[in-house]
């Protein structure tokens, strides 16, 4: 590749998602001659999704579950720009930022995650608490905890969304709120918890894993509403599409994902959902100088569910292909594995393993998950 400036090749990473933290680390360990690496990050502290339920349950501090991008950038010789990308102009090869400035690139890579799609449920903006982006959620969560301490604060808590994120979140939230009530000498039995989903819980997992969580919900007295789409949130309640009502003082949403709205104006190829369409080399289908990975990308040849594990696994092939692209060498295809081992916690130090038709459960699986997550974090926390 011929550098745009004539001096160096500018690789600009947009978003400090899971794949990009690996790129920083890889280029820090083995700098690429003639390349300047830049990271544009909206949130200088980026959360690691695998540990988020543990933060909610009170098992991890915020710092333990976040990567400090400023520190990582400094340690790896990466230029950090604290800002929010709002557009990309392919004709002049520039990323536009919310403050009106622009950043030029020779090669760009996008790993900015998703935004929640709240369009299918009325009243979510006024009465709901969106879990994504996770960085903003933890502040809302602290606010909810504080309100729950008030004598007339929320007691009926509901989560909409039955994927692993929603299930783990509700169970972890319950653990935390009940522990705090007990510690303050408040009446924990005043709390009630419910989960509503338009499908079955954990729809991408096998029936035995689903059965474990139905058992856990029943044992803890958590109301479970499966195959019941929610149509609207109203003050103090949610309304199902059949007109039935569930009373709830706080409603958290982990429903469908939507791509950031600025993707629409980039002219980059997108899938039907609006996510950036990439081939097996993680390059945009209509622009080889632009890469995308993580939840914001759609792997057109090997579609996978949106999960942190695939964002993590995309890191090494992305780093390699950014190097090849800068060197003018052919990039190499990546084929993500079709199944992965998911370790889903029950909100306590206990987890359920799920892979294909396999199911296992126990406290030892939580310890295994804890070990895997901490090992991953150690690599990027400088
Ligand atoms: C409650 C919950 C629990 C979950 N648990 C798990 C789990 O246990 N295992 C699992 O595999 N998955 C889990 N997930 C899913 C997981 O969160 C995502 O799949 C994962 O975070 C995707 O990583 P990513 O790199 O695509 O983006 P993200 O992790 O979302 O990172 C995107 C980054 O880009 C930055 N950014 C965003 N927009 C811009 C912009 N315009 N300009 C600059 N920077 C920007 C953000 O600040 C952020 O740092 C969970 C999700 C939820 C909601």
């Amino acid at each position: 590749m011929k550098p745009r400036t004539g001096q160096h090749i500018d690789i600009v990473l947009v978003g400090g998602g899971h794949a990009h933290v690996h790129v920083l680390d890889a280029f820090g360990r083995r700098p690429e001659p003639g390349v300047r690496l830049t990271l544009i990050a909206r949130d200088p502290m980026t959360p690691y999704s695998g540990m988020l339920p543990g933060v909610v349950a009170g098992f991890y501090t915020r710092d333990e579950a976040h990567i400090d991008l400023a520190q990582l950038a400094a340690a790896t010789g990466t230029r950090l720009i604290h800002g929010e990308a709002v557009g990309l102009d392919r004709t002049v090869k520039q990323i536009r930022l919310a403050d009106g400035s622009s950043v030029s690139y020779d090669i760009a890579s996008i790993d900015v995650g998703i935004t929640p799609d709240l369009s299918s449920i009325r009243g979510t903006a006024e009465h709901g608490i969106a879990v994504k982006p996770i960085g903003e959620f933890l502040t809302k969560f602290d606010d909810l905890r504080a309100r729950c301490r008030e004598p007339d604060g929320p007691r009926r808590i509901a989560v909409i969304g039955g994927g692993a994120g929603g299930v783990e979140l509700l169970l972890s939230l319950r653990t935390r709120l009940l522990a705090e009530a007990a510690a303050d000498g408040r009446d924990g039995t005043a709390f009630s918890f419910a989960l509503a989903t338009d499908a079955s819980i954990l729809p991408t997992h096998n029936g035995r894993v689903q059965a474990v969580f139905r058992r856990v919900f029943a044992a803890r007295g958590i109301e479970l509403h499966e195959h019941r789409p929610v149509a609207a949130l109203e003050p103090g309640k949610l309304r199902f599409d059949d007109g039935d009502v569930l009373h709830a003082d706080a409603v958290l949403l982990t429903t469908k994902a939507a791509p950031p709205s600025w993707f629409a104006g980039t002219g980059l190829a997108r899938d039907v959902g609006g996510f950036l369409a990439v081939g097996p080399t993680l390059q945009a289908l209509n622009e080889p100088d632009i890469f995308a990975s993580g939840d914001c990308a759609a792997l057109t040849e090997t579609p996978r569910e949106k999960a942190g594990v695939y964002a993590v696994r995309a890191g090494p092939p992305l780093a390699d292909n950014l190097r090849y692209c800068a060197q003018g060498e052919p990039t190499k295809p990546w084929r993500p594995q079709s199944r992965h081992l998911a370790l889903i916690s029950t909100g306590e130090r206990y987890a359920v393993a799920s892979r294909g038709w396999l199911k296992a459960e126990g406290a030892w699986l939580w310890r295994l998950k804890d070990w895997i997550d901490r090992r991953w974090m150690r690599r990027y926390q400088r």
Side-chain angles (χ1 to χ4, degrees):
M1 159 166 293
K2 239 170 117 202
R4 192 181 26 79
T5 59
Q7 289 165 347
H8 52 241
I9 291 173
D10 265 316
I11 299 183
V12 177
L13 310 177
V14 185
H18 297 18
H20 278 175
V21 293
H22 180 84
V23 174
L24 260 63
D25 183 67
F27 277 65
R29 285 170 198 266
R30 186 161 65 86
E32 189 62 36
V35 165
R36 176 170 70 171
L37 193 66
T38 300
L39 172 69
I40 299 172
R42 186 186 61 199
D43 307 298
M45 295 292 283
T46 198
Y48 174 48
S49 55
M51 291 172 89
L52 181 79
V55 176
V56 170
F59 302 153
Y60 302 120
T61 63
R62 266 185 197 228
D63 282 353
E64 282 174 318
H66 282 76
I67 297 164
D68 184 335
L69 294 174
Q71 260 181 32
L72 183 62
T76 55
T78 306
R79 178 172 69 135
L80 177 71
I81 296 175
H82 181 194
E84 180 175 5
V86 292
L88 181 149
D89 187 338
R90 292 156 64 205
T91 50
V92 289
K93 301 195 89 167
Q94 286 187 336
I95 313 285
R96 281 190 290 106
L97 304 190
D99 65 4
S101 63
S102 298
V103 181
S104 298
Y105 67 85
D106 294 301
I107 301 167
S109 176
I110 302 172
D111 177 15
V112 292
I114 50 141
T115 55
D117 177 4
L118 305 178
S119 60
S120 58
I121 304 175
R122 290 191 309 279
T124 46
E126 302 88 328
H127 308 298
I129 303 172
V131 175
K132 279 270 185 172
I134 292 177
E136 288 171 25
F137 168 68
L138 288 175
T139 306
K140 297 179 203 165
F141 170 59
D142 286 344
D143 174 60
L144 175 64
R145 286 168 56 210
R147 288 193 290 125
C148 286
R149 287 206 162 93
E150 304 291 328
D152 55 354
R155 295 291 180 269
R156 298 166 301 184
I157 315 291
V159 166
I160 305 178
V167 167
E168 281 192 295
L169 178 72
L170 180 64
L171 293 169
S172 304
L173 201 61
R174 179 181 173 279
T175 297
R176 184 67 168 273
L177 294 180
L178 296 188
E180 289 184 343
D184 297 349
R186 283 180 287 117
D187 178 15
T189 61
F191 281 98
S192 66
F193 299 88
L195 186 137
T197 177
D198 58 2
S200 54
I201 50 164
L202 303 167
T204 58
H205 297 272
N206 68 61
R208 294 162 67 211
V209 170
Q210 293 172 351
V212 172
F213 281 91
R214 290 194 189 103
R215 184 193 80 208
V216 168
F217 273 49
R220 297 182 194 171
I222 300 171
E223 265 185 62
L224 181 57
H225 299 269
E226 294 181 270
H227 303 286
R228 301 206 63 193
V230 174
L233 300 192
E234 297 166 12
K237 55 179 179 275
L238 58 84
R239 190 174 292 280
F240 294 105
D241 68 350
D242 58 11
D244 273 5
V245 153
L246 173 73
H247 292 281
D249 307 313
V251 181
L252 296 94
L253 297 124
T254 64
T255 42
K256 257 183 17 202
S261 56
W262 61 269
F263 283 4
T266 59
L268 293 170
R270 295 184 298 144
D271 74 349
V272 283
F275 298 95
L276 299 176
V278 296
T281 59
L282 298 170
Q283 284 162 292
L285 292 185
N286 61 342
E287 185 62 78
D289 292 341
I290 297 182
F291 293 71
S293 55
D295 281 3
C296 71
L299 296 159
T300 49
E301 284 188 22
T302 52
R304 295 287 180 269
E305 66 176 301
K306 300 212 177 292
V309 60
Y310 292 114
V312 165
R313 298 224 172 119
L318 175 66
D320 289 346
N321 279 340
L322 288 170
R323 277 187 208 279
Y324 294 138
C325 191
Q327 292 161 353
E329 299 289 329
T331 49
K332 292 194 179 150
W334 170 59
R335 189 176 170 82
Q337 60 190 102
S338 52
R339 288 176 180 176
H340 67 274
L341 175 72
L343 294 168
I344 310 166
S345 83
T346 60
E348 289 167 355
R349 290 186 168 88
Y350 191 95
V352 181
S354 166
R355 187 173 199 270
W357 284 103
L358 179 141
K359 183 233 84 177
E361 59 181 294
W364 67 277
L365 284 167
W366 190 88
R367 289 194 296 274
L368 175 67
K369 176 173 164 54
D370 177 59
W371 179 79
I372 293 170
D373 288 343
R374 285 185 190 272
R375 188 187 56 163
W376 191 81
M377 288 299 277
R378 257 199 308 276
R379 190 173 171 138
Y380 308 112
Q381 284 177 325
R382 302 291 159 100

